[in-house]
Every structure is written in C-alpha cells, then in structure tokens.
Amino acid sequence: MISYARQTQEEQPEAPSPVEEHIAPAPRVSVQAFCETVETAAAVQSAGEDRRLGKAHLKIQMGGMAAAIEAYRSAPTPNVIVLESDARNDLLAGLDQLATVCDAGTRVVVIGRINDVMLYRELVRRGVSDYVLAPVGAIDVVRSICNLFSAPEAKAVGRIIAVVGAKGGVGASTISHNVAWAIARDLAMDAVVADLDLAFGTAGLDYNQDPPQGIADAVFSPDRVDTAFIDRLLSKCTDHLSLLAAPATLDRVYDFGSDAFDAVFDTLRATMPCIVLDVPHQWSGWTKRALIGADDILIVAAPDLANLRNTKNLFDLLKAARPNDRPPLYCLNQVGIPKRPEIAAAEFAKAIESQPVVSIPFEPQIFGSAANNGQMIAEISANHKSIEMFLQIAQRLTGRSETKKQKSSLLSPLIDKLRGK
C-alpha cells in the first residue's frame, strides 16, 4: 500500500527560494527513479549528488511507468519510487497496476506536466506522496524526497552552522563562540557549540567550562551515540547555550575516517535547533565532509594574501560541492593591526565576488581579556561595537531577527503581582 500524500497544491504555501530554504537531509533510504526524458534523468542524477541525499541510495532507469511495473513484478520495491509520466489516463491506470506489485510502506513521487488540481486529488486518492510539475530541477527532486521524511507535526530538524578559519590563528574559534552566544542570548535559540578540534580546542576555556566528558567520548564510541548519551556529554553554559567540549589533550591521536562525526551530527540535529561547529583549520576527509554537510558556512579570514587565497579556494570548492545551497559567508577579523600591510575589504570582495558580512577590528585588549577570563565579549563590555557584529553574523546565518525584549513600565511590578494571583 502506497503511503499518504501531502496537502493539495492550492493549499500549499509558496516555497522559499532554494538558497534560503532549510531542507532536512533524508535518512538512509533506497530511491529508484523511472524517467521518460533525459532532462528529468539528469535532474534526478544531479539531485543524487546533493549533500542532503548523501545517505540515500539512488538508482535511475529510463522507461517511465511501464518500466517500473515490469521491474517490480519480480523484485521488492524500494523506500521511494520516483515516476515520470506525461499522459493523465495512462498515469492513473499505471498507478493502479503499480499498486498491485508495490510493497507496503513504499512512497511514490510522480513527475508530470499536467497542472490540474483534479488530477492531483486523484493521485492523492491513490496514495501518491507528492506530485511535482515538470520541468524539474535538482532542488525540486531533493525537496520532494527529503520532505517525505519530515512530518509536518515533527520538531524541526536542527540547523548546522560550520565556522572555519581560512588560516590558522585568525580567530575563527573566538568568532564561532561569540556568534553562538549571540544566537542563544539575542535570538533566543537553543544552541550547542561542538568543538571539533579535539587536540587543541578552546571552547571549554572560552566558556569557562571543564566538563569531564565531551565530544571525544561520542566519536570513540559511535555505537553508544543516541539522544540520551549526547545529553549526558553536554555542558550547560547558559539557559539556551550548551557545549560539546573537546578534551584538548594529547594522550590520544585523533585520526578519523570521513564519517566519524556523522552519528554525533545526526543526533544533535534531532535535539537542538542550532548547532555551531567550531571546525579546526586542517584539511581532511572529515573536515571537508563537515563543511559540505553544513546548512550554512562562515569562513573567518585575516586581511592578507594567504587568507585571500585560502578563502577563495574554500569559497569556490564549497560553492561547487553545494550547488543547491547559498554560498558560504565570510568575515574579516583582526583588521587594522598597526604597521601591518593589509588587503582592503573591497579587494577581498572583488576577488571572491562576495562582500564580507562584517570586518572586525583588531582590539587585543578586550579580546585578550575575554579569552584569559573565560568570558564572551558581551560579558566583558556590554556595549562593545563587536557585539553588534556578532549579532549581524548570527542573523545572517540563522535567517532570524533579534528577539525584541518587552519594554518595562512603572506599572509592570503591579501587573506581575496581579498575574501571579
């Protein structure tokens, strides 16, 4: 029996643009597509290369409905079948035949060219999960398949934000920790910072936390990773901010496979609205996978030639690897070091073809004090100009505006007392 369908087209809200839309990744499922045109087959093939379908096993065949019916006469059906069909009557008759050979729980997505609500309702009645109008792009296929596994009533899947330095020592960890603080405090989002620099991570120091356990316990025990296990490893920094700390010790060698952090990230997505990854400045299979798999990326760079080259390389690689996501963001940090020749922000923007989100000035006194005291900049100086910059970055990465605080009045204490009664 084919599973239930979504709302009719006339009830669907207008979809946001691909670069702004947050599509939750699909789980490990099997998907088989039966296409009639090479254009649709190419779109499905491109969708299969998208990061959000990275765990799905996708197979594409030509022949449309007839090929699907013939294939499943003697073979089990996958989790998802994608069918391209042009003719209305042949489509409905074919679905009736497919239902006789379709396994229970299989979901069907139909790609067609007939824009008719009555047809859509007939498809719904037959149990089709989604109807997508052709011509389709890769993001249409990604959205349709991923949304099959995101129930409307389910809690939203967490957004992963990766922060990485274009070069060592540019302050990427400091920026990531202060941005996470702004997300939690000013945007009132529950967030967790995951310090991925297991040997030399500074998140524990910056938040003045020294938990006995942390992210290393999860990475080295992947079979134990679940929601309860991760919750025990989290260190509470504020009401809205938690930390998954790195051990920052050298008693072990931290050589990982490319998928070493997958279980941790999947579990965090299921429990936290926002996950900020403090990615170390190194290039390995797992760091590349963490960056490509993130929903949004911030590159932190200093205004010199090596940073410009590295930012450009990262920018180009991530844009190519994530064609259906918005490009990475970048910011300039430590701008204005006395007597140091620097590349202007305008030159950076010209080379990268993108403007920096902010340019954070070099202020060693306040940043050094915050680091040595285990505090955020907002805790050291509530009105410091960099705080507004961290908030701007947080808003751009999350797509949220600052949470407005209610203004108090002289009558507020009296009103609170009456409400208490």
Side-chain angles (χ1 to χ4, degrees), residues 402-413:
E402 183 178 4
T403 301
K404 301 297 182 183
K405 297 180 176 64
Q406 291 184 343
K407 295 182 178 179
S408 60
S409 68
L410 294 175
L411 295 177
S412 293

Side-chain angles (χ1 to χ4, degrees), residues 255-299:
D255 291 334
F256 301 123
S258 61
D259 59 351
F261 289 87
D262 284 7
V264 178
F265 296 163
D266 290 345
T267 305
L268 287 173
R269 275 190 187 275
T271 57
M272 279 286 180
C274 184
I275 303 100
V276 178
L277 306 181
D278 182 1
V279 183
H281 179 74
Q282 65 181 70
W283 197 240
S284 62
W286 69 265
T287 53
K288 181 180 178 181
R289 186 179 178 93
L291 291 172
I292 292 176
D295 295 292
D296 281 289
I297 303 162
L298 175 70
I299 302 169

Side-chain angles (χ1 to χ4, degrees), residues 323-346:
N324 302 313
D325 293 89
R326 70 173 174 179
L329 304 178
Y330 76 98
C331 72
L332 296 178
N333 191 32
Q334 302 172 351
V335 175
I337 293 180
K339 300 183 180 180
R340 180 182 71 173
E342 295 183 348
I343 296 176

